[in-house]
Amino acid sequence: MTKLSVNINKIALIRNSRGANYPDLVQIAKDCEKFGADGITIHPRPDERHARYADVPVLKAIVKTELNVEGNPIPKFLKMVMENQPHQCTLVPDAPDALTSDAGWDTIKHKGFLTDTIAKLRAAGIRTSIFINPDERMIEGAKAVGTDRIEFYTGPYAHNYSEGKRKAVADYARCGKLAHQLGLGINAGHDLNTTNLNYFIKNVGNVAEVSIGHALISDALYYGLHHTILMYLKECRNV
Ligand code: PXP
């Protein structure tokens, strides 16, 4: 079964636009869980324009499912993760000024850094995942650095889906098979939505978790948060 982790960064963005605590991230996280989400994801970026570092302990205290904290493992981020012990930490090589994460790790070039960082996180009991493009060399590199899971960067899949879904998913299906054979858990995220999600899960196989923010929160404007989470869960479960 593929778990649905709701990325609530967009809620934090709305909150930050007015300076007060509304909408309340904690209430939204509790409601996502009540409506069936299997986890909550936040991605505090260095400029804290969406989720803030200070949101992490507050969410850790109330999340009953799984808290996934994503981010570029700069020292400040790693310190915060170690202090708060989320269930999972996803390492993302995003530039501080990136609009959104747009590429996976070069697991060969950054082998030493990733190996050290992952070992520290795992020793603290935190499951690790690293953001990856569907490339066999990067998957083999991911195995070599000792991560528990990879998270496929699905932006290109989503972008190419309308031009031909079979071709769009092909690299992910091939690399997913390799990752599974190597014993790596598989997560996925970026631009997944109710149109492309189920096809991805069905064709890649063994997808443990998807983290979805932008499309899910946008859909919630029309369908409401409860109904929208049920729509996404249906896409996750119906395989
Ligand atoms: N995974 C990572 C590493 C991300 O940076 C993001 C966006 O914050 C997501 C997943 C979710 O992407 P989306 O908001 O497009 O669903």
Side-chain angles (χ1 to χ4, degrees):
M1 188 189 83
T2 303
K3 291 188 170 182
L4 172 66
S5 185
V6 177
N7 179 320
I8 57 174
N9 261 33
K10 282 277 137 64
I11 304 293
L13 184 69
I14 298 172
R15 176 199 61 188
N16 296 355
S17 69
R18 283 295 170 97
N21 189 34
Y22 185 77
D24 179 354
L25 222 51
V26 165
Q27 190 58 49
I28 295 278
K30 284 181 180 169
D31 287 336
C32 286
E33 291 186 314
K34 190 169 85 187
F35 300 152
D38 304 301
I40 301 295
T41 292
I42 57 165
H43 188 146
R45 290 197 160 80
D47 63 6
E48 303 192 319
R49 64 185 188 273
H50 324 106
R52 300 180 183 128
Y53 281 56
D55 290 323
V56 175
V58 184
L59 288 170
K60 177 65 203 307
I62 60 98
V63 166
K64 293 197 171 73
T65 52
E66 279 200 5
L67 179 64
N68 172 44
V69 178
E70 304 176 340
N72 190 323
I74 56 175
K76 183 181 164 196
F77 175 87
L78 286 174
K79 182 169 176 286
M80 176 274 292
V81 169
M82 289 302 223
E83 282 167 4
N84 292 289
Q85 309 260 307
H87 303 93
Q88 177 174 269
C89 177
T90 303
L91 307 179
V92 186
D94 54 351
D97 57 349
L99 198 56
T100 182
S101 319
D102 55 4
W105 285 99
D106 183 333
T107 54
I108 296 166
K109 189 168 161 196
H110 298 288
K111 183 176 179 182
F113 172 73
L114 287 171
T115 304
D116 289 351
T117 306
I118 286 166
K120 283 187 195 128
L121 292 167
R122 294 191 76 232
I126 302 166
R127 189 173 72 223
T128 59
S129 181
I130 59 175
F131 204 48
I132 287 281
N133 291 335
D135 172 327
E136 276 98 338
R137 286 173 60 246
M138 296 304 123
I139 306 285
E140 279 157 7
K143 178 66 186 172
V145 299
T147 189
D148 298 295
R149 294 189 184 180
I150 54 162
E151 179 183 326
F152 277 130
Y153 168 44
T154 50
Y157 162 72
H159 183 76
N160 296 325
Y161 182 89
S162 57
E163 309 271 302
K165 55 188 181 182
R166 261 179 69 176
K167 189 158 177 269
V169 87
D171 289 348
Y172 296 87
R174 213 181 50 252
C175 289
K177 205 172 278 175
L178 173 63
H180 186 62
Q181 278 164 5
L182 293 173
L184 293 165
I186 301 171
N187 294 343
H190 221 282
D191 289 330
L192 293 173
N193 57 37
T194 51
T195 302
N196 60 35
L197 174 58
N198 186 261
Y199 187 80
F200 185 87
I201 292 172
K202 268 192 180 131
N203 285 278
V204 174
N206 304 297
V207 179
E209 177 188 295
V210 287
S211 65
I212 306 183
H214 185 80
L216 190 154
I217 301 301
S218 302
D219 287 343
L221 294 174
Y222 284 91
Y223 304 112
L225 188 58
H226 189 172
H227 187 64
T228 303
I229 287 178
L230 296 179
M231 284 162 56
Y232 278 79
L233 284 172
K234 190 166 159 233
E235 301 301 321
C236 287
R237 311 292 198 247
N238 183 20
V239 286

